[in-house]
Amino acid sequence: MNNYYNPVRTVQGPGCLKCLPQILQDMKLTHGRVLILGWDTKVFEYDVFSQLHSSNQSFHIQKAVFQESNPTVKHLFKIYKETKDFFPEAVVAIGGGSIMDVGKSLCCLYGKEISSEQALREFIQNKEIGSPKTKWVGIPTTSGTGSEVTCWATIWDPEKEAKRSIENPENYAYAALVDPEMTEGMPLKLAVSSALDAVAHGVESYWAKGTNAVSKALALQAVNRIMSNMEALLSGKAEGRDAMAQGSMMAGLAFSNTKTTACHSISYPLTMHYKIPHGAAVSMLLAPVFQMNASGTDGMPELLKALGVKDGEDLKERISSFLIRSGQPASLKGWGVKEEELPGLAELGMTKGRADNNPVEITAETINIILKSIY
Protein backbone atom coordinates (compact mmCIF):
# COMPACT_ATOMS: atom_id res chain seq x y z
CA MET A 1 0.00 0.00 0.00
CA ASN A 2 1.50 3.33 -1.09
CA ASN A 3 0.19 6.63 0.25
CA TYR A 4 0.42 10.09 -1.29
CA TYR A 5 1.26 13.24 0.67
CA ASN A 6 2.23 16.75 -0.40
CA PRO A 7 1.41 19.78 1.78
CA VAL A 8 2.68 22.55 -0.55
CA ARG A 9 0.19 25.34 -1.30
CA THR A 10 0.47 25.67 -5.06
CA VAL A 11 -0.60 28.81 -6.90
CA GLN A 12 -0.20 28.59 -10.68
CA GLY A 13 -0.92 30.92 -13.55
CA PRO A 14 0.21 34.13 -15.22
CA GLY A 15 0.65 36.93 -12.70
CA CYS A 16 0.44 34.79 -9.57
CA LEU A 17 3.72 36.30 -8.32
CA LYS A 18 1.62 39.15 -6.92
CA CYS A 19 0.33 36.73 -4.27
CA LEU A 20 3.69 36.70 -2.48
CA PRO A 21 2.99 39.46 0.11
CA GLN A 22 -0.20 37.74 1.20
CA ILE A 23 1.56 34.36 1.37
CA LEU A 24 4.21 35.85 3.65
CA GLN A 25 1.54 37.47 5.81
CA ASP A 26 -0.21 34.10 6.11
CA MET A 27 3.04 32.58 7.40
CA LYS A 28 2.70 34.73 10.57
CA LEU A 29 6.42 35.33 10.96
CA THR A 30 7.29 36.46 14.49
CA HIS A 31 9.92 39.02 13.50
CA GLY A 32 9.26 39.27 9.77
CA ARG A 33 12.81 38.41 8.68
CA VAL A 34 12.74 37.29 5.03
CA LEU A 35 15.68 36.31 2.82
CA ILE A 36 15.03 36.90 -0.87
CA LEU A 37 17.39 34.50 -2.68
CA GLY A 38 17.54 35.22 -6.40
CA TRP A 39 19.44 33.88 -9.39
CA ASP A 40 20.24 37.46 -10.48
CA THR A 41 19.77 41.02 -9.21
CA LYS A 42 17.17 41.45 -11.96
CA VAL A 43 14.62 39.48 -9.97
CA PHE A 44 14.63 42.15 -7.27
CA GLU A 45 13.25 44.67 -9.79
CA TYR A 46 9.78 43.11 -9.75
CA ASP A 47 7.23 45.44 -8.14
CA VAL A 48 6.15 42.77 -5.68
CA PHE A 49 9.48 42.97 -3.85
CA SER A 50 9.29 46.72 -3.40
CA GLN A 51 5.84 46.16 -1.89
CA LEU A 52 7.45 44.11 0.86
CA HIS A 53 9.23 47.31 1.97
CA SER A 54 6.04 49.37 2.02
CA SER A 55 4.88 51.01 5.23
CA ASN A 56 1.96 48.65 5.78
CA GLN A 57 4.18 45.55 5.71
CA SER A 58 6.21 44.39 8.69
CA PHE A 59 8.98 42.54 6.86
CA HIS A 60 12.71 42.91 7.31
CA ILE A 61 14.30 41.94 4.00
CA GLN A 62 17.78 40.73 3.13
CA LYS A 63 18.63 40.04 -0.49
CA ALA A 64 21.20 37.53 -1.74
CA VAL A 65 22.23 36.37 -5.19
CA PHE A 66 23.28 32.81 -6.03
CA GLN A 67 24.40 32.18 -9.62
CA GLU A 68 26.08 28.77 -9.53
CA SER A 69 24.61 25.84 -11.41
CA ASN A 70 24.67 22.44 -9.68
CA PRO A 71 25.47 23.84 -6.20
CA THR A 72 28.33 22.20 -4.33
CA VAL A 73 29.14 21.81 -0.65
CA LYS A 74 31.55 24.72 -1.08
CA HIS A 75 28.89 26.95 -2.67
CA LEU A 76 26.33 26.10 0.01
CA PHE A 77 28.73 26.80 2.87
CA LYS A 78 29.60 30.21 1.39
CA ILE A 79 25.98 31.40 1.12
CA TYR A 80 25.25 29.96 4.58
CA LYS A 81 28.06 32.06 6.10
CA GLU A 82 26.81 35.16 4.31
CA THR A 83 23.24 34.84 5.61
CA LYS A 84 23.34 32.90 8.89
CA ASP A 85 23.59 35.96 11.16
CA PHE A 86 20.39 37.39 9.62
CA PHE A 87 18.72 34.04 10.51
CA PRO A 88 15.63 34.49 8.32
CA GLU A 89 12.29 33.08 9.35
CA ALA A 90 11.42 32.61 5.68
CA VAL A 91 13.46 32.11 2.52
CA VAL A 92 11.92 33.09 -0.81
CA ALA A 93 13.86 31.15 -3.47
CA ILE A 94 13.49 32.62 -6.97
CA GLY A 95 15.19 30.78 -9.81
CA GLY A 96 15.77 27.35 -11.25
CA GLY A 97 16.45 24.05 -9.52
CA SER A 98 19.83 25.16 -8.17
CA ILE A 99 18.29 28.14 -6.35
CA MET A 100 15.54 25.90 -4.95
CA ASP A 101 18.12 23.38 -3.75
CA VAL A 102 20.13 26.08 -1.99
CA GLY A 103 17.06 27.79 -0.52
CA LYS A 104 15.60 24.65 1.00
CA SER A 105 19.05 23.50 2.19
CA LEU A 106 19.60 26.78 4.03
CA CYS A 107 16.33 26.25 5.89
CA CYS A 108 17.85 23.09 7.36
CA LEU A 109 21.13 24.81 8.29
CA TYR A 110 19.96 27.94 10.09
CA GLY A 111 20.17 27.66 13.86
CA LYS A 112 23.03 25.18 13.67
CA GLU A 113 26.71 25.96 14.08
CA ILE A 114 28.53 24.65 11.04
CA SER A 115 32.14 25.79 11.14
CA SER A 116 33.63 24.53 7.87
CA GLU A 117 32.97 22.86 4.54
CA GLN A 118 34.01 19.54 6.05
CA ALA A 119 31.59 20.02 8.93
CA LEU A 120 28.83 20.73 6.41
CA ARG A 121 29.77 17.64 4.41
CA GLU A 122 29.55 15.51 7.54
CA PHE A 123 26.25 17.14 8.51
CA ILE A 124 24.76 16.13 5.16
CA GLN A 125 26.33 12.67 5.15
CA ASN A 126 25.16 11.87 8.69
CA LYS A 127 21.57 12.95 7.97
CA GLU A 128 21.61 15.25 11.02
CA ILE A 129 18.91 17.49 9.63
CA GLY A 130 16.35 17.67 12.44
CA SER A 131 13.36 20.01 12.19
CA PRO A 132 14.08 23.03 9.98
CA LYS A 133 14.00 26.37 11.81
CA THR A 134 13.05 28.31 8.66
CA LYS A 135 10.21 28.00 6.16
CA TRP A 136 10.53 28.64 2.44
CA VAL A 137 8.55 29.71 -0.60
CA GLY A 138 9.52 28.55 -4.09
CA ILE A 139 9.14 30.76 -7.17
CA PRO A 140 10.57 28.92 -10.21
CA THR A 141 11.95 30.84 -13.18
CA THR A 142 12.44 27.65 -15.21
CA SER A 143 9.94 24.90 -15.95
CA GLY A 144 11.49 21.52 -15.32
CA THR A 145 12.81 20.67 -11.89
CA GLY A 146 9.55 20.69 -9.91
CA SER A 147 11.81 21.42 -6.94
CA GLU A 148 9.32 23.93 -5.56
CA VAL A 149 7.05 21.04 -4.52
CA THR A 150 9.61 18.47 -3.27
CA CYS A 151 11.30 18.23 0.11
CA TRP A 152 14.82 17.26 -0.97
CA ALA A 153 17.76 19.14 -2.39
CA THR A 154 20.71 17.97 -4.48
CA ILE A 155 24.12 19.21 -3.37
CA TRP A 156 27.12 18.15 -5.41
CA ASP A 157 30.45 17.17 -3.88
CA PRO A 158 32.98 17.01 -6.74
CA GLU A 159 35.94 16.67 -4.38
CA LYS A 160 34.50 13.32 -3.28
CA GLU A 161 32.92 12.51 -6.68
CA ALA A 162 29.54 12.30 -5.01
CA LYS A 163 26.03 13.65 -5.30
CA ARG A 164 24.51 14.30 -1.92
CA SER A 165 20.92 14.83 -0.86
CA ILE A 166 19.44 16.94 1.91
CA GLU A 167 15.95 15.70 2.53
CA ASN A 168 13.37 16.02 5.25
CA PRO A 169 9.58 15.57 5.01
CA GLU A 170 9.27 18.64 7.27
CA ASN A 171 11.04 20.75 4.62
CA TYR A 172 8.34 20.99 1.97
CA ALA A 173 7.77 24.57 0.89
CA TYR A 174 5.08 26.57 2.65
CA ALA A 175 3.94 27.62 -0.82
CA ALA A 176 4.93 27.53 -4.48
CA LEU A 177 4.09 30.35 -6.88
CA VAL A 178 4.37 28.94 -10.41
CA ASP A 179 4.07 31.94 -12.70
CA PRO A 180 4.89 31.26 -16.38
CA GLU A 181 5.66 34.97 -16.83
CA MET A 182 8.77 34.35 -14.71
CA THR A 183 10.15 32.11 -17.46
CA GLU A 184 10.01 34.75 -20.20
CA GLY A 185 13.40 35.26 -21.82
CA MET A 186 14.68 31.82 -20.83
CA PRO A 187 17.14 30.60 -23.52
CA LEU A 188 15.60 27.96 -25.80
CA LYS A 189 18.25 25.38 -24.92
CA LEU A 190 17.44 25.73 -21.23
CA ALA A 191 13.69 25.80 -21.83
CA VAL A 192 13.78 22.56 -23.83
CA SER A 193 16.20 20.67 -21.57
CA SER A 194 14.17 21.76 -18.52
CA ALA A 195 10.93 20.60 -20.09
CA LEU A 196 12.45 17.22 -20.93
CA ASP A 197 13.72 16.91 -17.36
CA ALA A 198 10.10 17.29 -16.25
CA VAL A 199 9.05 14.60 -18.72
CA ALA A 200 11.61 12.29 -17.13
CA HIS A 201 10.26 13.14 -13.68
CA GLY A 202 6.78 12.15 -14.79
CA VAL A 203 7.81 8.95 -16.57
CA GLU A 204 10.11 7.81 -13.78
CA SER A 205 7.46 8.54 -11.16
CA TYR A 206 5.00 6.45 -13.17
CA TRP A 207 7.17 3.33 -13.11
CA ALA A 208 9.08 3.81 -9.82
CA LYS A 209 8.86 1.01 -7.27
CA GLY A 210 7.16 3.39 -4.84
CA THR A 211 4.57 4.72 -7.26
CA ASN A 212 0.95 5.21 -6.22
CA ALA A 213 -2.38 5.99 -7.87
CA VAL A 214 -2.16 9.75 -7.33
CA SER A 215 1.41 10.03 -8.57
CA LYS A 216 0.59 7.96 -11.66
CA ALA A 217 -2.38 10.16 -12.53
CA LEU A 218 -0.33 13.33 -12.05
CA ALA A 219 2.53 11.83 -14.06
CA LEU A 220 0.36 11.02 -17.08
CA GLN A 221 -1.19 14.48 -17.06
CA ALA A 222 2.23 16.15 -16.72
CA VAL A 223 3.83 14.14 -19.52
CA ASN A 224 0.91 14.75 -21.86
CA ARG A 225 0.80 18.48 -21.11
CA ILE A 226 4.51 18.91 -21.86
CA MET A 227 4.91 16.61 -24.87
CA SER A 228 1.80 17.90 -26.62
CA ASN A 229 3.01 21.51 -26.25
CA MET A 230 6.69 21.17 -27.17
CA GLU A 231 6.06 22.64 -30.62
CA ALA A 232 4.51 25.72 -29.00
CA LEU A 233 7.55 26.02 -26.74
CA LEU A 234 9.95 25.71 -29.68
CA SER A 235 7.96 28.41 -31.48
CA GLY A 236 8.24 30.78 -28.51
CA LYS A 237 4.48 30.94 -27.87
CA ALA A 238 3.13 32.04 -24.47
CA GLU A 239 0.83 29.02 -24.29
CA GLY A 240 3.93 26.85 -24.55
CA ARG A 241 5.47 28.49 -21.49
CA ASP A 242 2.25 28.11 -19.50
CA ALA A 243 1.95 24.43 -20.46
CA MET A 244 5.55 23.79 -19.38
CA ALA A 245 4.95 25.52 -16.04
CA GLN A 246 1.87 23.40 -15.41
CA GLY A 247 3.52 20.18 -16.55
CA SER A 248 6.67 20.74 -14.53
CA MET A 249 4.66 21.45 -11.37
CA MET A 250 2.50 18.35 -11.83
CA ALA A 251 5.54 16.18 -12.51
CA GLY A 252 7.11 17.59 -9.35
CA LEU A 253 3.99 16.71 -7.36
CA ALA A 254 4.14 13.19 -8.85
CA PHE A 255 7.75 12.37 -8.06
CA SER A 256 7.71 14.19 -4.71
CA ASN A 257 6.32 10.92 -3.38
CA THR A 258 8.14 8.37 -5.53
CA LYS A 259 11.60 9.83 -6.29
CA THR A 260 13.26 9.11 -9.60
CA THR A 261 14.86 5.96 -11.00
CA ALA A 262 17.53 4.77 -13.44
CA CYS A 263 17.51 7.77 -15.82
CA HIS A 264 18.46 10.17 -13.06
CA SER A 265 20.84 7.71 -11.46
CA ILE A 266 22.82 7.26 -14.68
CA SER A 267 22.73 10.97 -15.55
CA TYR A 268 24.49 12.31 -12.45
CA PRO A 269 28.09 11.45 -13.43
CA LEU A 270 27.44 12.75 -16.95
CA THR A 271 26.62 16.14 -15.47
CA MET A 272 29.39 16.05 -12.89
CA HIS A 273 32.22 14.98 -15.23
CA TYR A 274 31.13 16.44 -18.58
CA LYS A 275 28.92 19.37 -17.54
CA ILE A 276 26.06 18.04 -19.67
CA PRO A 277 22.99 20.03 -18.55
CA HIS A 278 20.93 17.82 -16.31
CA GLY A 279 17.80 17.96 -18.47
CA ALA A 280 19.71 17.02 -21.62
CA ALA A 281 21.54 14.18 -19.87
CA VAL A 282 18.46 12.62 -18.33
CA SER A 283 16.33 12.99 -21.48
CA MET A 284 18.88 11.19 -23.69
CA LEU A 285 18.62 8.26 -21.28
CA LEU A 286 14.83 8.16 -21.25
CA ALA A 287 14.30 6.03 -24.39
CA PRO A 288 16.79 3.21 -23.62
CA VAL A 289 15.63 2.99 -20.00
CA PHE A 290 12.03 3.06 -21.26
CA GLN A 291 12.76 0.04 -23.43
CA MET A 292 14.47 -1.76 -20.55
CA ASN A 293 11.62 -1.07 -18.11
CA ALA A 294 8.74 -1.92 -20.47
CA SER A 295 8.42 -5.48 -19.17
CA GLY A 296 8.27 -4.34 -15.55
CA THR A 297 5.83 -1.44 -15.92
CA ASP A 298 2.07 -1.68 -15.59
CA GLY A 299 -0.01 0.62 -17.76
CA MET A 300 2.53 1.04 -20.55
CA PRO A 301 -0.12 1.81 -23.24
CA GLU A 302 -1.33 4.79 -21.19
CA LEU A 303 2.24 6.05 -20.81
CA LEU A 304 2.93 5.72 -24.53
CA LYS A 305 -0.24 7.69 -25.27
CA ALA A 306 0.79 10.46 -22.86
CA LEU A 307 4.21 10.64 -24.52
CA GLY A 308 2.62 10.74 -27.96
CA VAL A 309 4.79 7.91 -29.32
CA LYS A 310 4.26 4.33 -30.43
CA ASP A 311 7.39 2.74 -28.89
CA GLY A 312 10.85 3.36 -27.43
CA GLU A 313 12.50 3.99 -30.78
CA ASP A 314 9.88 6.59 -31.62
CA LEU A 315 10.52 8.21 -28.23
CA LYS A 316 14.26 8.38 -28.92
CA GLU A 317 13.69 10.06 -32.27
CA ARG A 318 11.29 12.59 -30.81
CA ILE A 319 13.52 13.58 -27.89
CA SER A 320 16.57 13.78 -30.16
CA SER A 321 14.64 16.08 -32.46
CA PHE A 322 13.72 18.40 -29.60
CA LEU A 323 17.32 18.59 -28.41
CA ILE A 324 18.80 19.16 -31.86
CA ARG A 325 16.21 21.79 -32.82
CA SER A 326 17.02 23.70 -29.65
CA GLY A 327 20.70 23.72 -30.57
CA GLN A 328 22.15 20.96 -28.41
CA PRO A 329 23.61 17.51 -29.10
CA ALA A 330 21.49 14.39 -28.76
CA SER A 331 24.37 11.95 -28.18
CA LEU A 332 27.15 11.49 -25.65
CA LYS A 333 29.75 11.84 -28.40
CA GLY A 334 28.23 15.17 -29.34
CA TRP A 335 28.74 16.36 -25.76
CA GLY A 336 32.41 15.38 -25.85
CA VAL A 337 32.20 12.18 -23.80
CA LYS A 338 35.12 9.82 -24.41
CA GLU A 339 34.05 6.32 -25.37
CA GLU A 340 36.77 4.68 -23.28
CA GLU A 341 35.33 6.35 -20.17
CA LEU A 342 31.89 4.76 -20.53
CA PRO A 343 32.64 1.79 -18.20
CA GLY A 344 33.81 4.15 -15.46
CA LEU A 345 30.76 6.37 -15.91
CA ALA A 346 28.60 3.24 -15.72
CA GLU A 347 30.07 2.34 -12.34
CA LEU A 348 29.38 5.85 -11.06
CA GLY A 349 25.81 5.65 -12.38
CA MET A 350 24.69 3.26 -9.65
CA THR A 351 23.23 5.94 -7.38
CA LYS A 352 21.72 4.68 -4.13
CA GLY A 353 18.03 5.51 -3.80
CA ARG A 354 17.64 5.94 -7.56
CA ALA A 355 19.09 2.83 -9.21
CA ASP A 356 17.37 0.58 -6.65
CA ASN A 357 14.06 2.42 -7.19
CA ASN A 358 13.92 1.24 -10.79
CA PRO A 359 11.26 -1.41 -11.57
CA VAL A 360 13.82 -3.57 -13.40
CA GLU A 361 17.16 -4.37 -11.77
CA ILE A 362 20.11 -2.50 -13.23
CA THR A 363 23.83 -3.13 -12.88
CA ALA A 364 26.97 -1.34 -14.01
CA GLU A 365 27.02 -3.70 -17.00
CA THR A 366 23.45 -2.76 -17.88
CA ILE A 367 24.29 0.93 -17.62
CA ASN A 368 27.32 0.50 -19.87
CA ILE A 369 25.07 -0.98 -22.57
CA ILE A 370 22.64 1.94 -22.17
CA LEU A 371 25.45 4.50 -22.44
CA LYS A 372 26.76 2.83 -25.61
CA SER A 373 23.27 3.01 -27.13
CA ILE A 374 23.25 6.81 -26.86
CA TYR A 375 26.91 7.32 -27.72
Side-chain angles (χ1 to χ4, degrees):
M1 181 184 299
N2 292 319
N3 298 320
Y4 180 88
Y5 171 76
N6 191 301
V8 182
R9 305 169 190 222
T10 54
V11 187
Q12 196 280 326
C16 71
L17 178 64
K18 66 179 181 292
C19 299
L20 178 60
Q22 185 60 56
I23 291 289
L24 290 174
Q25 288 286 3
D26 292 346
M27 293 173 79
K28 302 187 184 305
L29 307 175
T30 303
H31 304 290
R33 293 192 303 273
V34 179
L35 175 67
I36 308 293
L37 182 67
W39 65 269
D40 190 274
T41 56
K42 289 188 291 186
V43 304
F44 306 137
E45 297 173 5
Y46 284 93
D47 290 342
V48 69
F49 299 118
S50 62
Q51 293 173 24
L52 298 180
H53 289 288
S54 64
S55 58
N56 64 337
Q57 303 287 356
S58 56
F59 302 119
H60 304 286
I61 307 296
Q62 178 172 322
K63 299 173 183 176
V65 173
F66 186 89
Q67 295 185 310
E68 304 288 348
S69 297
N70 303 316
T72 66
V73 173
K74 181 178 181 178
H75 297 148
L76 179 59
F77 182 66
K78 182 175 184 293
I79 194 72
Y80 161 74
K81 285 198 301 180
E82 292 173 358
T83 59
K84 69 183 182 69
D85 290 340
F86 181 63
F87 201 157
E89 295 170 274
V91 172
V92 179
I94 312 155
S98 294
I99 287 285
M100 300 291 163
D101 285 346
V102 169
K104 66 178 77 171
S105 295
L106 288 172
C107 291
C108 296
L109 302 184
Y110 293 134
K112 300 177 175 65
E113 286 300 322
I114 300 174
S115 58
S116 65
E117 288 178 32
Q118 181 57 31
L120 176 55
R121 179 179 289 110
E122 292 172 1
F123 173 84
I124 298 172
Q125 283 180 298
N126 297 335
K127 308 294 184 183
E128 300 170 350
I129 308 301
S131 295
K133 303 296 184 184
T134 300
K135 301 174 184 177
W136 68 283
V137 176
I139 304 176
T141 60
T142 64
S143 298
T145 69
S147 188
E148 69 275 8
V149 292
T150 68
C151 66
W152 55 77
T154 295
I155 302 298
W156 300 83
D157 195 354
E159 292 181 9
K160 304 294 183 182
E161 290 200 350
K163 181 199 75 73
R164 307 197 185 280
S165 182
I166 296 178
E167 55 186 271
N168 188 325
E170 296 182 50
N171 201 33
Y172 278 104
Y174 178 85
L177 304 181
V178 185
D179 188 338
E181 293 178 357
M182 298 294 287
T183 69
E184 288 182 15
M186 186 168 43
L188 185 60
K189 286 182 182 180
L190 178 58
V192 168
S193 65
S194 297
L196 293 177
D197 183 22
V199 171
H201 290 154
V203 172
E204 292 181 78
S205 174
Y206 189 83
W207 65 39
K209 284 183 178 179
T211 197
N212 58 75
V214 176
S215 284
K216 292 186 83 165
L218 285 164
L220 289 176
Q221 183 70 5
V223 170
N224 177 262
R225 187 68 53 88
I226 295 168
M227 293 294 280
S228 62
N229 284 280
M230 286 297 291
E231 292 299 331
L233 178 66
L234 286 161
S235 300
K237 296 179 180 177
E239 57 263 37
R241 290 195 301 273
D242 193 26
M244 297 308 122
Q246 293 177 33
S248 173
M249 181 187 69
M250 288 188 288
L253 290 167
F255 90 102
S256 70
N257 276 236
T258 67
K259 296 188 177 180
T260 51
T261 62
C263 297
H264 275 68
S265 180
I266 301 167
S267 77
Y268 295 135
L270 300 177
T271 295
M272 182 180 295
H273 289 273
Y274 283 94
K275 308 301 181 187
I276 303 176
H278 172 67
V282 76
S283 65
M284 287 190 295
L285 292 159
L286 194 51
V289 174
F290 183 97
Q291 291 171 312
M292 178 184 69
N293 285 346
S295 62
T297 302
D298 292 331
M300 189 58 78
E302 291 81 0
L303 185 54
L304 285 166
K305 182 178 179 181
L307 285 162
V309 298
K310 60 180 182 293
D311 54 31
E313 281 301 318
D314 194 15
L315 177 60
K316 182 177 181 178
E317 290 180 13
R318 197 166 185 213
I319 289 176
S320 295
S321 173
F322 293 148
L323 289 171
I324 292 168
R325 289 166 63 193
S326 64
Q328 47 199 323
S331 68
L332 294 181
K333 185 176 182 179
W335 284 103
V337 177
K338 299 176 182 177
E339 189 170 11
E340 62 269 22
E341 292 192 0
L342 295 184
L345 292 169
E347 292 285 348
L348 294 171
M350 290 291 293
T351 309
K352 186 178 180 181
R354 301 297 184 270
D356 50 0
N357 192 34
N358 202 63
V360 173
E361 183 180 3
I362 62 170
T363 64
E365 291 74 18
T366 307
I367 295 174
N368 193 39
I369 294 170
I370 289 171
L371 292 176
K372 286 181 179 179
S373 75
I374 60 171
Y375 188 77

